[in-house]
Amino acid sequence: SPTIFRYRNYRFLFFSREEPRLHIHVHSPDGEAKFWIEPKIELALNKGLRETELKELEHQIREHEQKIRDTWNKHFTAEVSNISADGLLLVAAGRDYFLPHDQYPWFQAAPVEKVFNVQLLHGHHLHWPELDVDLELDGLENPDQYPLIAKH
């Protein structure tokens, strides 16, 4: 759950494995709220915060809207940045991963445009829709815990 920013005793954050619609959570000792960012900034949920607090929080969200959007896009996107004879370089959720062809053979003979078409779903699931390939970020980060069996 990355913290985007703090304001007074409020923490503004995302949950990594939640819904795909752009939103932000706000936590404090007194309660919590959730605000939609798209299609417009508005309160989605409130638990325990007063109306005056909610107005102040919405103002802070408006002031930090670009930072929220930039952080969301960095955290919830994936992109193949390079393909070589040895494998591909993937940037997902703000981290770089190298996927060698000998361990991820699905990409070696695939058309380049299909390899570049990757989606990051729910902050942790990589999906190549045209190749029918799905990988979990946890599997890339902890490969010893996820032995791969490739079917050709």
Side-chain angles (χ1 to χ4, degrees):
S1 302
T3 297
I4 312 312
F5 67 97
R6 292 182 183 273
Y7 170 75
R8 296 187 181 167
N9 65 334
Y10 302 99
R11 177 180 173 219
F12 294 73
L13 66 142
F14 301 139
F15 289 119
S16 294
R17 298 176 186 228
E18 202 185 15
E19 62 191 276
R21 182 176 169 192
L22 181 55
H23 65 280
I24 192 162
H25 294 266
V26 185
H27 288 189
S28 80
D30 300 322
E32 61 186 78
K34 176 180 176 178
F35 287 85
W36 297 120
I37 306 300
E38 289 182 348
K40 65 180 185 172
I41 296 173
E42 64 183 339
L43 181 66
L45 176 74
N46 175 29
K47 292 183 181 177
L49 299 176
R50 297 183 318 271
E51 187 66 31
T52 55
E53 289 177 283
L54 294 170
K55 287 182 181 180
E56 187 176 5
L57 295 173
E58 183 175 333
H59 177 74
Q60 288 300 311
I61 290 169
R62 290 186 189 286
E63 285 199 358
H64 292 87
E65 181 178 0
Q66 192 58 54
K67 180 178 183 175
I68 293 167
R69 288 179 179 280
D70 291 346
T71 305
W72 179 279
N73 289 335
K74 181 178 179 184
H75 187 75
F76 292 106
T77 59
E79 174 185 21
V80 173
S81 62
N82 189 28
I83 301 173
S84 72
D86 299 319
L88 59 99
L89 183 61
L90 173 74
V91 181
R95 292 189 56 190
D96 293 341
Y97 300 92
F98 180 70
L99 283 64
H101 288 311
D102 62 340
Q103 294 178 28
Y104 301 90
W106 314 283
F107 305 113
Q108 191 165 18
V112 172
E113 65 274 4
K114 292 183 180 185
V115 176
F116 279 112
N117 184 16
V118 60
Q119 303 166 345
L120 181 62
L121 307 174
H122 309 291
H124 62 90
H125 181 88
L126 295 163
H127 177 61
W128 283 264
E130 296 175 292
L131 299 175
D132 195 28
V133 173
D134 294 276
L135 299 171
E136 293 289 326
L137 287 181
D138 193 49
L140 299 178
E141 294 167 8
N142 303 293
D144 295 342
Q145 297 177 19
Y146 299 88
L148 295 174
I149 300 173
K151 296 179 182 177
H152 297 282

